Amino acid sequence: MLDQPLVSVEKLRVEFETNDGTVVAVEDVSFEVAPGETVCIVGESGSGKSVSSLSLMRLVEFSGGEIVGGKLRFQVKKDENLDLAAADNDLMRTIRGNKIGMIFQEPMTALNPVFTIGMQLSEGLRVHKGLSKKEAAARAVELLRMVRIPEPERRLTQYPHELSGGMRQRVVIAMALACEPRLLIADEPTTALDVTIQAEILALINRLKRETGAAVLFITHDMAVVAQIADRVVVMFRGNKVEEGPVEQIFANPQHDYTKQLLAAVPKLGEMRGKTAPEPMRLLGDDTHVEGPVRPASDKVILDVKHLVTRFEVKAGVLRRTVANVHAVEDVSFAIREGETLSLVGESGCGKSTCGRSILRLVEPDAGEVILDGKDVIAMSERTLRNARRDMQMIFQDPFASLNPQMKLNAQVAEPLRNYFNLGTTEINDRVAQLFDRVHLPRSFMNRYPHELSGGQRQRIAIARALALNPKLIIADEAVSALDVTVQAQVLNLIMELQADLGISILFISHDMAVVERVSHRVGVMYLGRIVEIGPRASIFENPQHPYTISLLTAVPVADPTNRKSEGDLNFKPIASPIFPVGHEPEPSVYSEIGPGHYVLEGSHGR
């Protein structure tokens, strides 16, 4: 152990009182973090990793938890340690955000919806650093630029709902870094970020650590991120620490069965080289995976998108006049065949989610055609569209936002069946029970509410609901980005299994390149609202041609601590803006075919 740790957690025990009795969330957990060291706590949902970090900030008490045993020693000054578990609330207020910064997993719950980004960034600086309003605003712009948010001055006047999920997460990171804390607790900070932004944030955290000597406690389920950033790793399982050691040792020679299982479930970029079809994940001790490759797609086109354009108005002034347009989706065309998975990848704000929503007309497109199984979705009346939605379903990124908090889970999964089919109660209940089985959730969960499930379990409910109507097309918008690696592997295997059984077509929207390589037949890369490169998976991953595709693949973290990426490897460029003045009409997309079905955008369209 190190002589003078910045943080020393000793025999921590945290309990929660529930209707079903006392739940022990963390039991007898001990670890240390030295100045300038990064310790990663890994484990799946419910393992107690986030509770451990919330205990250090003493925030666990605000969510019904209680620290009933152990010490949380924190070095406030040289040779002066404080037991945070015994500190009063006034003292904790001076430590939170100042000495200890925290990046939360859910940016929408970490940000106040009624205050502007500028007000929220300035608050900590003015309280803890005593800066004037003008100085705090200047520092806020500097912080937003540091986390690579375009047009930072304009962002200060915006509200959280006006930013994309990835941008909100970068704002939360900027807030945590604002006061240059001695300890930075990062709870799944890169889960909602694209690979390029993730690589930059990891490089940023590493640089901050080097320059200030701050320690980092990094909570994640992404083993590739662990390999890139950790000095030491603490593996947690069901509230207990099951293994701890240097990162190289954990990856090269894991001892505990759970650690072995975690590492086995990690998709690794490059492991699909030479394979023509998607392949299921290999899970230790799990015989449920699909045997052999998922069947190749047929030649029947299920979805044909032609020259899709979706723009959003930017209003300003007292009269709220339209002063510009966000060109979210600009002249996008692609087709998906029966039983095929096409993945759309790209940075936050590139238009991939808007593209998925435009296809379903959850967002109304400005132009283009969306032909679903021979019928034009854009031209449909509301009534015809309602019937067509049986054939196309969406799995959203945030399952908590897409589920009704007041409805039991069985009622939510049954709702599509009740809306579209004239079935009896017994028949509906049987079908719902089968769907719960299909997504590997116990039937006892049917009478629970969304808040009683972990994030991964909620996402499986969302998938069960999407499958209820046996759709021809599923649009999965970051459907596995918030899941633990083992759960992610199971869900991806489930999706591939359903595709093989039912011939479902999938538009898979993701920023996780290793997952995309594993599940896709074809891949489209989006940048500033356009597809810049599209083709068979092997062509995109093994022979990328567009500079943006190459930079995306370069930024992907590899689950190997001996193969870390340096900041020099990552060719970061400022993000261009997709906002253009009213009346601006961009040139159409022109592509060159450089291989069978492999197309690259010519010129520098879309800026």
Side-chain angles (χ1 to χ4, degrees), residues 261 264-267 271-272 278-295 341 437-440 460 463 467 479-480 483-502 504 506 508 514-515 518-520:
Q261 188 184 334
V266 179
E271 66 184 355
M272 293 294 288
E279 232 175 60
M281 308 283 184
R282 298 285 167 234
L283 291 170
L284 287 186
D286 181 14
D287 299 323
T288 61
H289 62 254
V290 190
E291 281 302 330
V294 173
R295 71 175 192 174
T341 298
D437 295 343
R438 201 98 215 229
V439 296
H440 309 297
R460 283 189 266 179
I463 291 167
L467 294 172
V480 295
L483 306 186
D484 321 303
V485 281
T486 50
V487 176
Q488 174 181 276
Q490 289 162 8
V491 170
L492 290 171
N493 285 0
L494 169 71
I495 291 170
M496 286 188 260
E497 179 188 315
L498 293 161
Q499 187 175 48
D501 290 350
L502 309 170
I504 297 172
I506 298 169
F508 192 85
V515 166
R518 196 83 203 208
V519 304
S520 313

Side-chain angles (χ1 to χ4, degrees), residues 560-595:
D560 178 2
T562 62
N563 183 17
R564 290 189 172 181
K565 295 184 188 297
S566 69
E567 225 169 318
D569 298 335
L570 306 165
N571 185 19
F572 299 146
K573 292 188 176 76
I575 300 172
S577 171
I579 299 172
F580 294 91
V582 175
H584 173 81
E585 280 304 321
E587 296 170 34
S589 302
V590 180
Y591 294 89
S592 301
E593 187 172 12
I594 57 162

Side-chain angles (χ1 to χ4, degrees), residues 86-256:
D88 63 37
N89 279 329
D90 288 341
L91 182 55
M92 284 309 301
R93 269 197 289 275
T94 65
I95 288 171
R96 280 187 212 117
N98 187 21
K99 304 275 189 195
I100 304 177
M102 183 145 186
I103 305 167
F104 292 93
Q105 182 176 356
E106 296 273 347
M108 210 46 191
T109 51
L111 293 170
N112 191 322
V114 300
F115 292 122
T116 63
I117 299 300
M119 288 167 77
Q120 296 187 61
L121 268 171
S122 303
E123 185 184 20
L125 293 164
R126 297 185 71 183
V127 170
H128 295 301
K129 297 291 181 190
L131 300 186
S132 68
K133 192 173 181 180
K134 191 177 176 182
E135 288 168 335
R139 174 72 177 142
V141 169
E142 201 180 297
L143 286 161
L144 292 182
R145 203 167 275 130
M146 195 194 291
V147 293
R148 256 183 104 239
I149 287 184
E151 303 175 277
E153 291 84 2
R154 199 167 71 83
R155 303 295 175 202
L156 292 185
T157 62
Q158 290 184 308
Y159 291 87
H161 72 270
E162 296 179 89
L163 304 183
S164 71
M167 275 195 193
R168 286 198 290 262
Q169 188 61 292
R170 282 180 272 169
V171 169
V172 171
I173 291 166
M175 284 170 70
L177 299 176
C179 296
E180 297 170 342
R182 298 195 65 207
L183 173 69
L184 182 65
I185 300 173
D187 186 3
E188 304 274 13
T190 58
T191 297
L193 303 184
D194 344 291
V195 284
T196 48
I197 306 298
Q198 173 178 274
E200 288 168 45
I201 294 302
L202 296 180
L204 177 70
I205 290 171
N206 263 331
R207 192 166 71 242
L208 178 91
K209 186 179 81 166
R210 278 198 314 272
E211 289 170 0
T212 65
V216 179
L217 185 62
F218 203 99
I219 291 109
T220 184
H221 61 254
D222 189 333
M223 297 304 283
V225 167
V226 173
Q228 292 300 307
I229 200 169
D231 296 311
R232 281 187 306 115
V233 181
V234 174
V235 183
M236 288 189 69
F237 182 61
R238 293 184 182 165
N240 291 280
K241 180 177 82 175
V242 294
E243 190 164 352
E244 181 181 1
V247 64
E248 296 85 0
Q249 199 176 304
I250 294 288
F251 275 78
N253 187 23
Q255 297 298 306
H256 196 274

